[in-house]
Amino acid sequence: MIIEGGIVYDPINGVLGEEMDVSIEDGRVVEESRDGEKIDARGMLVLPGGVDAHAHIAGAKVNTGRIMRPEDGRRGTEARTKLLRPSTGYTVPNCYAIGYRYARLGYTTAFEAATPILEARHTHEELEEIPIVDKGALTLFGNNWEVLECVRDGDLDKLAAFLAWGLRASRGYGVKVVNPGGGEAWGYGGNVKGIDDPVPNFDVTAREIIRYLMRANEALRLPHSVHLHTNNLGKPGNYETTLATLRAVEDIASSRDRQVLHVTHMQFSAYGGTGWRDFESKAPEIADYFNRHEQFTMDMGQLIFGSATTMTADAPLEYGNARLLKAKWSNHDIELEESSGVVPLVYGRKNPINAIQWAIGLELALLTEDPWQMIMTTDHPNGGPFVNYPEVVALLMSRAKREEELATLHDLASKRSSLPSIEREMDWNDIAIVTRAGPARILGLAEKGHLGVGADGDVSIYDINPEKVDPSKEHEEVKAALAGAKYAIKGGEVVVRDGEVVAVPQGRTYWVDASVPEDAAARVKADLVEKFAKYYSIQMSNYMVQDAYVTRPRVIRAGVI
Amino acid sequence: MKKVIIKPLREFWVPVEAERISPDVFAPLSIEEIRRLEIWEGNRKVTLSDLFMISGDDEPAPPGDNEIVLSGDFSRVKRIGEKMTSGTIVIKGDVGMHAGNGMSGGEILIDGNAGDWLGREMRGGKITVSGDAGEYVGAGYRGESCGMRGGEILVEGSVGDYLGEHLCGGTITVGGDAGDFPGIANRGGAIVIGGNAHLPGAEMASGTITVRGRARVLPSFQRLETVEIDGIRFDKFLGDLVDDGKGELFAASVEDGGR
Amino acid sequence: MIIEDVLCPFCGCLCDDIKVEVEEGRIVGVKRACRLGSSKIRGHERIRAPMVRRDGELFETTYDEAYDRAARILKGAKRPLLYGWCSTVCETAKKGILLAEVVGGVIDSTATVCHGPSIIGIEEKGLSGSTLGQVKNRADLIIFWGANPVEAHPRHTMRYSSNSTGMFTPEGRRGRKVIVVDVRKTRTAKNADKFILIRPGTDYEVISALRMIVKGKGDLIPETVAGVDKADLEETAGMMKAAKFGSILFGLGMTHSRGRYKNVDNALSLVADLNGFTKFVVMAMRGHYNVAGFGQVCAWETGYPMAVDLSRGAPYFNPGETAACDLLGRRETDAMMVVAADPASNFPRETVEAMAEIPVIQVDPFPNPTTFLADVVIPTAVCGIEAEGTAYRMDGLSLRMKKVIDSGLPTDEEVVENILDRVRRLADDN
């Protein structure tokens, strides 16, 4: 296949809006393709396929969201066709809708943000049902008893061996940490108040948990860094916890050419004030810190007005949400490992808190100078469903659009944030970074996010001419063009044409197989044997995710040896 | 006035979904075009004339000037009058589920019995039933916090369970008995029940429920006083206090063994 | 040869520590399973061969003919009902849902006569729960409401609840309080610290009263509520708030008595209220070993966990309208396929009479009363013994069932796939 004459943005390879051809053969980008399909992309924007580094798209809490929200199911209902299964849902779409909708947006890779090891089988059952996109899942470790004990005992080698084992058991891609320590405290209805608040019964702090996990992550040279959801997320004044957390790990060095820590959905962790009355944005402080510390990355967690479903392993947060909003509430604690909550809600333009939150996400992205430190996300579906990504791009590229929106919001959005004064408008290069190149680098996916020779043949072509259309003024056109790709190509196969899905190949599932010294592995095993005998409610031999659940694996090797 | 008369050609067992039978849909159409309207019988897509005999006035007319007369057994025909905004539907016979779903204006007159989910998520307009209605009269869809938001439903006979579940506005009047949990989770609106009711107003946040017959009242309702309305004495309750509700429940007689 | 850590394919406990002894391709011993599981694993009378009904009688035939007949029945139906799915693995459910899409039918599971109301309650309020291991490791208060695990989930109390030991519960039963709420004094009640007898159909009122007391408004409720003394309720509320980790495990007593899903709804609210004071979880004691699994698969594939109407190509969910008993009770359905369930035994009489008037396809290893109504009968391998696959425990945990012996029979999944294949070919022929 040859994509001819498109205007290409491929930041990883230094291509910034050049008119050029892209050739694909056997699913990979090549110098030149001999023959095959020709796609006329003249006058159109060509980007590598989109990479969503953080979304809640598969697993127990996603399905809980579906089950408890039949009223969401009936939004976004599309009947089956000869090719496509039926779609349902807006904030909690069914598996087929997830695949089709990503593809229509031109996204070709999507990662599930958080999966507990004990329920990873469920995550993979759902991932297998999501068509088209390549995928992976991050595995939760921050409240796991074995982790807490290794941290308490200062046993880095054993911890690293446990991470390797846990990734294999869950067929996970990376180390996810959510409200470390707080999830365990929630087992008895508690939480931790900050990074130095000891976890009951384990005598460790979040500071220690995060540091040890990061050091173990780097000892294993995992492709991705630790991926962190901070303590005190969602609370006014929490920016201090966020900064304290970052300062606590400034000295840790990355083992690879990437960040040493990725902080996720930072919008929810950038709050000032002492309560909801004086709630305000502290995005400038956070962005400033990132501007001075290049070893950290973050993703936005942008709010979208309208219906959302919050779902997170930060269970105490969800309980708090439910009580505050008098909303329906699901909670699921997982023995020895984690906890989670799901609460549907609606973000309102005239709600002063929501209006400020909306501004914060944009502030963070625009005030962080280096786009390589930033990923555009909505923490789907916590901030809003991913189908709204074009809206976020349009906002990042157009100050006029931001002003138009601000005028419809509660005026505290303007008073308690610095957004009105921000002039910066992202350009296509920036957008290509924050939606493709950056997330691929940050996750450590070498063949994603770019169009150099050897890259996966994942390409999105949008019917908008970057040389003719000014995104700053014509933001409506930007949004419309990105909402339905002219072409989306996955592994060299056209999967979307004119915004319609025309093929549904199955994607592959990334997971990391890390090797560790035998003695450390044996010590971990001994601990696990005891835990299964005494505490787990299932047998150890039935625990690990079996091959049957990952039918098209893409295994990345890592490890100490 | 444009009048269209519809009669079933045969008995139905597999339900028919006829959301296209609505003054808004018929208004600009000729009889021939109406005959060709798409409806469903189970999983079969058919036209209106495959299942019904249609006759009447041919010229287009604004929806408000449309009258549709359904004559016969429509008890298995669902979604009649869905989302209508004006005009009239008269049903001489029983009608199936979801009649008047989401309607915001106009009138539906049922000279017979109505199926479940009558006037689901209604916003305006009026529905009158001479016979009985089923369950979930004037209710919402599963999981939604608001169902009916406006309009008027009048059932002269009795109704089934969950009358006006999640009622947020509008009025529902029932001549006979209501079943279990009428007015459950209400946040507004008014319900009047001519006969008996079982545990009315559970989870009620606000609104009014009047039971002229006998009610079994929840322990989480607080009896305030006795009042007289239209010559009838009622016990007045405040509830549902389990969630600090400020709904009002009037019961002419209270069942023993409950409160 | 002894095969270890086998999963029991009977109830929602999904015990995974069963030892099965196999000799020369036959099961000769079962250890650790309760009598219900053991009986299933050891096996009993099987359907020997596919059968089709002609002139009122069942005659043995080939799988081919059975698939063909089944496909024609489904393809020719205007409102086919595909029901069951609770005693088979998730892989079967996936094919079943696709088949329902292709034939434009309604798919529903046994939750419809079991915990369907619980799901509807969850749609109103959400569910504050946990895995069973949390109960084992932390719970010092266990409340069985309308559930009798001693008889219906025999190993539950030992493995997961009242009598289990864990990290923070080393004393097991001695360190816990057990309360049973039921309409009669069951065997489970006999082992409880406190038993509350309630009148049938009054669960909702009793729960409302408890909620009032928990929230400090007890002075507003009368001295007895539906026959239960306020003092009893106050003591119960006190025990709940004093617990470090309380749990309510409820069964069909709550879902099937008057009030149905509203009973569960109110119980879910009670547990949410209690979380304002202490840690509390709630769990539905699912009956069949994989009814939860069907719900999960159906939810991620269609958006809804049960009672899904696919006749117009887009999933529509409305229990009360789209559930199996609704269709049969109204005699709306003109064909039925039953996979891994026995509606003739469990359904209300009018619905069974409706089944007798329509063509019924049965896919099952075992003959049962539904077989008497079936027009096509297709025997299959027993999942969890003769076929592998995924199942979900009552707390939502998924595990892989093992295959310990061969049967030579097709799996449920293969049968559904074959029928789907024939249906598609019939469509192409048109």
Side-chain angles (χ1 to χ4, degrees):
Chain A
M1 162 186 300
I2 310 174
I3 300 160
E4 292 181 319
I7 298 153
V8 178
Y9 284 83
D10 180 9
I12 286 178
N13 296 302
V15 176
L16 309 178
E18 276 174 48
E19 191 177 308
M20 59 186 274
D21 295 346
V22 177
S23 296
I24 301 171
E25 217 168 85
D26 295 326
R28 301 239 173 191
V29 176
V30 296
E31 278 287 350
E32 240 180 78
S33 180
R34 286 179 292 277
D35 46 22
E37 192 174 351
K38 283 190 176 37
I39 293 181
D40 181 2
R42 282 172 300 168
M44 297 195 211
L45 173 65
V46 175
L47 298 176
V51 177
D52 197 350
H54 184 111
H56 299 272
I57 53 174
K61 62 183 182 311
V62 178
N63 224 21
T64 294
R66 295 180 182 116
I67 291 168
M68 69 190 276
R69 297 206 72 178
E71 76 280 7
D72 185 86
R74 65 178 182 154
R75 293 190 192 123
T77 297
E78 292 167 73
R80 66 189 300 260
T81 68
K82 271 203 144 44
L83 179 65
L84 306 181
R85 302 285 297 268
S87 289
T88 53
Y90 171 59
T91 68
V92 278
N94 65 330
C95 293
Y96 310 117
I98 291 175
Y100 305 151
R101 289 174 192 173
Y102 267 126
R104 288 190 196 123
L105 292 179
Y107 270 71
T108 49
T109 303
F111 268 59
E112 160 55 44
T115 201
I117 310 176
L118 184 60
E119 295 185 346
R121 215 173 334 270
H122 181 163
T123 302
H124 285 287
E125 281 211 271
E126 290 197 27
L127 287 177
E128 292 275 302
E129 284 308 302
I130 296 176
I132 304 170
V133 293
D134 281 342
K135 50 238 161 167
L138 301 181
T139 303
L140 288 158
F141 282 102
N143 291 287
N144 188 300
W145 286 4
E146 181 68 12
V147 168
L148 300 183
E149 287 168 9
C150 287
V151 172
R152 179 196 61 202
D153 301 338
D155 196 337
L156 184 63
D157 287 339
K158 191 161 74 162
L159 179 62
F162 179 67
L163 291 186
W165 186 89
L167 287 173
R168 196 171 305 117
S170 60
R171 305 290 172 117
Y173 184 79
V175 177
K176 178 71 186 288
V177 180
V178 174
N179 188 24
E184 166 51 33
W186 182 247
Y188 275 113
N191 197 358
V192 294
K193 296 190 194 62
I195 62 171
D196 293 308
D197 193 12
V199 180
N201 300 308
F202 285 91
D203 199 29
V204 292
T205 63
R207 177 193 295 266
E208 292 161 339
I209 297 169
I210 297 166
R211 282 188 61 84
Y212 266 95
L213 284 171
M214 284 174 69
R215 289 169 60 201
N217 192 94
E218 299 315 316
L220 289 173
R221 306 191 71 251
L222 298 180
H224 185 38
S225 65
V226 165
H227 192 117
L228 175 69
H229 161 138
T230 60
N231 300 102
N232 284 332
L233 189 123
K235 291 193 175 58
N238 65 8
Y239 86 104
E240 285 176 344
T241 305
T242 306
L243 289 175
T245 306
L246 291 161
R247 289 187 191 115
V249 298
E250 265 173 19
D251 61 308
I252 300 178
S254 172
S255 60
R256 299 177 76 135
D257 184 18
R258 55 149 170 76
Q259 75 286 354
V260 76
L261 178 68
H262 178 83
V263 181
T264 190
H265 42 63
M266 183 63 92
Q267 177 270 119
F268 293 107
S269 301
Y271 297 160
T274 59
W276 297 116
R277 278 256 154 92
D278 59 351
F279 180 74
E280 56 168 356
S281 161
K282 284 295 186 185
E285 283 76 0
I286 301 287
D288 178 64
Y289 182 91
F290 274 69
N291 289 338
R292 292 182 288 110
H293 295 87
E294 58 176 23
Q295 73 267 45
F296 299 114
T297 56
M298 60 167 137
D299 64 85
M300 286 166 80
Q302 176 62 25
L303 230 73
I304 303 287
F305 293 108
S307 181
T309 301
T310 60
M311 53 174 66
T312 163
D314 193 337
L317 169 70
E318 292 292 29
Y319 175 65
N321 279 348
R323 278 196 87 162
L324 186 67
L325 304 166
K326 296 199 194 317
K328 48 186 170 179
W329 167 56
S330 282
N331 180 85
H332 188 63
D333 294 346
I334 299 155
E335 63 213 58
L336 286 83
E337 298 188 2
E338 274 299 335
S339 55
S340 66
V342 181
V343 175
L345 45 72
V346 176
Y347 292 121
R349 288 167 182 279
K350 296 300 184 191
N351 177 317
I353 307 299
N354 296 160
I356 300 168
Q357 289 173 309
W358 176 90
I360 292 172
L362 293 167
E363 274 185 287
L364 285 167
L366 295 165
L367 293 174
T368 303
E369 285 156 12
D370 184 0
W372 290 99
Q373 287 180 279
M374 177 63 61
I375 301 178
M376 185 208 78
T377 65
T378 60
D379 188 21
H380 165 93
N382 288 281
F386 68 78
V387 290
N388 294 292
Y389 284 171
E391 164 80 5
V392 185
V393 170
L395 286 163
L396 291 170
M397 298 186 91
S398 166
R399 188 184 186 190
K401 182 172 167 79
R402 297 197 293 265
E403 279 169 4
E404 270 174 44
E405 289 298 305
L406 277 167
T408 69
L409 307 185
H410 192 286
D411 60 8
L412 283 190
S414 297
K415 293 192 179 134
R416 301 271 182 87
S417 82
S418 67
L419 189 63
S421 68
I422 298 177
E423 292 179 355
R424 179 182 177 195
E425 293 176 324
M426 285 196 175
D427 59 22
W428 286 113
N429 183 49
D430 294 328
I431 297 298
I433 293 169
V434 301
T435 60
R436 277 107 168 118
R441 270 256 180 92
I442 287 169
L443 282 172
L445 301 168
E447 13 4 66
K448 298 293 188 194
H450 71 102
L451 297 173
V453 171
D456 283 353
D458 299 343
V459 188
S460 359
I461 303 170
Y462 300 102
D463 193 0
I464 184 166
N465 191 332
E467 287 165 1
K468 299 216 166 88
V469 175
D470 178 3
S472 173
K473 293 193 181 65
E474 299 177 78
H475 51 82
E476 291 290 310
E477 220 186 297
V478 167
K479 182 174 167 179
L482 295 182
K486 181 79 179 163
Y487 293 93
I489 293 152
K490 174 79 182 49
E493 182 181 1
V494 175
V495 292
V496 169
R497 187 172 284 133
D498 293 317
E500 295 301 325
V501 176
V502 296
V504 285
Q506 191 179 8
R508 298 176 69 181
T509 301
Y510 281 91
W511 66 275
V512 168
D513 191 3
S515 49
V516 293
E518 263 186 50
D519 58 299
R523 291 193 298 123
V524 165
K525 184 147 182 221
D527 282 356
L528 291 168
V529 166
E530 189 191 352
K531 285 191 165 63
F532 276 92
K534 288 156 93 166
Y535 308 133
Y536 270 106
S537 63
I538 63 164
Q539 302 293 96
M540 188 160 160
S541 72
N542 288 321
Y543 183 73
M544 299 183 79
V545 174
Q546 298 88 345
D547 290 340
Y549 297 97
V550 191
T551 59
R552 303 197 70 226
R554 200 161 189 182
V555 186
I556 308 295
R557 310 242 173 253
V560 174
I561 15 175
Chain B
M1 177 61 76
K2 170 170 161 170
K3 188 162 166 175
V4 177
I5 300 156
I6 301 178
K7 297 186 179 158
L9 287 171
R10 56 173 165 81
E11 196 181 7
F12 304 122
W13 283 99
V14 169
V16 173
E17 291 203 6
E19 70 273 19
R20 317 299 296 280
I21 296 181
S22 151
D24 293 71
V25 174
F26 284 16
L29 304 180
S30 67
I31 292 290
E32 197 43 50
E33 287 168 320
I34 290 172
R35 286 199 182 104
R36 285 197 306 252
L37 282 173
E38 215 174 77
I39 56 171
W40 289 77
E41 185 188 17
N43 58 16
R44 306 284 201 257
K45 190 160 51 171
V46 295
T47 64
L48 211 52
S49 58
D50 285 331
L51 303 181
F52 300 98
M53 192 161 74
I54 299 130
S55 59
D57 298 329
D58 225 358
E59 282 81 46
D65 288 344
N66 271 255
E67 182 182 332
I68 305 172
V69 178
L70 305 173
S71 183
D73 183 5
F74 284 78
S75 59
R76 286 178 188 251
V77 183
K78 301 182 182 178
R79 301 171 69 178
I80 289 170
E82 180 167 295
K83 296 212 172 82
M84 62 189 267
T85 66
S86 57
T88 311
I89 301 181
V90 177
I91 303 154
K92 298 184 179 162
D94 295 340
V95 74
M97 294 187 188
H98 298 290
N101 250 8
M103 72 190 274
S104 55
E107 201 172 338
I108 299 180
L109 295 132
I110 300 160
D111 188 12
N113 301 316
D116 300 335
W117 283 284
L118 178 70
R120 193 190 91 206
E121 297 179 292
M122 198 172 166
R123 271 142 168 68
K126 186 168 173 185
I127 302 177
T128 314
V129 182
S130 69
D132 300 330
E135 318 218 303
Y136 292 104
V137 171
Y141 182 73
R142 303 233 179 259
E144 297 274 12
S145 54
C146 257
M148 180 174 172
R149 290 172 199 257
E152 206 185 313
I153 299 178
L154 169 59
V155 179
E156 290 173 22
S158 294
V159 301
D161 299 336
Y162 312 118
L163 171 73
E165 184 186 38
H166 286 296
L167 185 68
C168 279
T171 59
I172 308 177
T173 310
V174 177
D177 294 333
D180 290 358
F181 296 111
I184 183 159
N186 280 3
R187 287 159 52 184
I191 295 175
V192 177
I193 298 164
N196 306 327
H198 182 80
L199 303 181
E203 293 172 51
M204 204 171 162
S206 76
T208 319
I209 302 177
T210 307
V211 181
R212 295 178 189 272
R214 194 179 66 250
R216 186 174 173 96
V217 179
L218 281 165
S220 46
F221 272 69
Q222 182 183 24
R223 192 179 167 287
L224 296 178
E225 56 182 340
T226 310
V227 300
E228 197 169 297
I229 308 172
D230 295 337
I232 303 175
R233 292 187 69 216
F234 291 92
D235 280 332
K236 180 177 173 181
F237 294 86
L238 176 71
D240 187 344
L241 295 176
V242 87
D243 274 318
D244 300 315
K246 299 196 170 26
E248 292 180 332
L249 169 65
F250 297 93
S253 118
V254 174
E255 185 183 320
D256 273 342
R259 271 211 64 87
Chain C
M1 171 176 69
I2 297 195
I3 304 175
E4 308 245 338
D5 297 342
V6 174
L7 276 74
C8 174
F10 193 83
C11 84
C13 282
L14 208 59
C15 299
D16 74 326
D17 62 342
I18 314 299
K19 291 183 199 282
V20 177
E21 193 175 345
V22 175
E23 240 158 67
E24 284 168 7
R26 284 176 46 245
I27 293 173
V28 297
V30 178
K31 282 201 169 58
R32 291 197 181 159
C34 69
R35 61 189 157 68
L36 300 169
S38 183
S39 167
K40 178 159 185 193
I41 296 170
R42 282 174 190 279
H44 40 97
E45 190 200 343
R46 301 287 290 268
I47 301 171
R48 267 196 339 231
M51 297 185 278
V52 290
R53 197 175 291 275
R54 276 193 282 274
D55 298 320
E57 266 195 68
L58 285 172
F59 291 92
E60 290 192 358
T61 181
T62 61
Y63 276 96
D64 257 358
E65 201 207 324
Y67 295 149
D68 203 63
R69 272 280 213 117
R72 282 178 199 285
I73 288 169
L74 290 173
K75 183 83 178 55
K78 290 185 185 170
R79 196 161 176 70
L81 171 63
L82 285 72
Y83 173 78
W85 317 105
C86 63
S87 294
T88 185
V89 290
C90 293
E91 289 75 4
T92 317
K94 290 174 193 174
K95 294 283 165 27
I97 292 165
L98 183 53
L99 177 59
E101 276 175 33
V102 169
V103 299
V106 175
I107 188 158
D108 196 13
S109 76
T110 59
T112 213
V113 286
C114 190
H115 273 282
S118 308
I119 291 174
I120 300 173
I122 292 168
E123 291 162 3
E124 292 287 315
K125 298 293 187 299
L127 181 142
S128 167
S130 72
T131 60
L132 284 164
Q134 287 286 51
V135 175
K136 163 177 147 147
N137 283 304
R138 302 185 193 255
D140 57 341
L141 174 66
I142 311 251
I143 303 174
F144 288 114
W145 195 303
N148 185 13
V150 167
E151 294 191 14
H153 298 89
R155 296 181 81 216
H156 192 283
T157 55
M158 177 203 76
R159 271 174 73 76
Y160 309 127
S161 57
S162 324
N163 302 322
S164 64
T165 57
M167 164 81 114
F168 303 109
T169 53
E171 292 177 350
R173 180 68 181 87
R174 276 197 336 268
R176 291 191 176 97
K177 292 274 181 271
V178 177
I179 302 177
V180 171
V181 182
D182 216 318
V183 297
R184 59 185 174 88
K185 196 156 192 179
T186 60
R187 283 174 62 197
T188 307
K190 294 197 175 94
N191 294 323
D193 295 294
K194 187 173 174 60
F195 170 61
I196 298 179
L197 179 75
I198 60 168
R199 294 193 197 135
T202 64
D203 300 69
Y204 193 94
E205 298 161 68
V206 172
I207 295 171
S208 285
L210 275 170
R211 291 181 64 197
M212 291 286 280
I213 298 169
V214 164
K215 288 174 149 184
K217 299 183 212 176
D219 51 316
L220 291 169
I221 66 166
E223 288 307 306
T224 61
V225 175
V228 183
D229 285 334
K230 185 169 164 178
D232 248 339
L233 295 175
E234 281 170 339
E235 187 187 26
T236 303
M239 288 168 81
M240 287 171 160
K241 287 169 88 165
K244 279 188 72 186
F245 184 117
S247 54
I248 297 181
L249 299 111
F250 65 93
L252 266 47
M254 200 186 275
T255 61
H256 278 206
S257 56
R258 187 176 190 180
R260 290 179 44 101
Y261 77 90
K262 287 301 172 190
N263 297 335
V264 176
D265 185 323
N266 215 7
L268 296 170
S269 294
L270 169 62
V271 171
D273 292 341
L274 283 163
N275 271 280
F277 300 94
T278 185
K279 180 74 181 182
F280 234 95
V281 300
V282 60
M283 191 176 315
M285 299 281 279
R286 307 304 295 266
H288 294 283
Y289 76 91
N290 200 27
V291 59
F294 176 83
Q296 297 283 350
V297 175
C298 199
W300 74 59
E301 293 207 350
T302 71
Y304 311 103
M306 60 189 187
V308 182
D309 185 338
L310 292 152
S311 49
R312 290 177 65 163
Y316 172 60
F317 167 78
N318 196 18
E321 180 182 4
T322 58
C325 289
D326 302 326
L327 267 68
L328 289 166
R330 295 193 176 92
R331 288 176 151 74
E332 276 180 19
T333 180
D334 52 352
M336 184 172 179
M337 177 158 142
V338 180
V339 178
D342 183 16
S345 293
N346 303 318
F347 272 19
R349 209 191 60 212
E350 334 74 74
T351 58
V352 179
E353 284 168 5
M355 278 178 68
E357 292 171 9
I358 56 173
V360 174
I361 303 153
Q362 180 186 37
V363 178
D364 209 296
F366 305 107
N368 54 39
T370 300
T371 315
F372 292 120
L373 300 175
D375 297 274
V376 182
V377 180
I378 305 178
T380 52
V382 181
C383 294
I385 300 166
E386 301 161 351
E388 270 186 58
T390 318
Y392 281 71
R393 200 168 67 177
M394 64 167 69
D395 59 347
L397 177 60
S398 87
L399 293 167
R400 191 166 185 79
M401 318 279 299
K402 288 185 164 71
K403 173 180 171 172
V404 296
I405 55 171
D406 270 315
S407 68
L409 297 173
T411 63
D412 294 321
E413 185 190 355
E414 283 165 350
V415 166
V416 176
E417 174 104 64
N418 273 300
I419 295 172
L420 174 60
D421 194 52
R422 303 293 164 110
V423 167
R424 281 183 165 141
R425 279 193 257 153
L426 286 172
D428 290 341
D429 289 343
N430 287 350

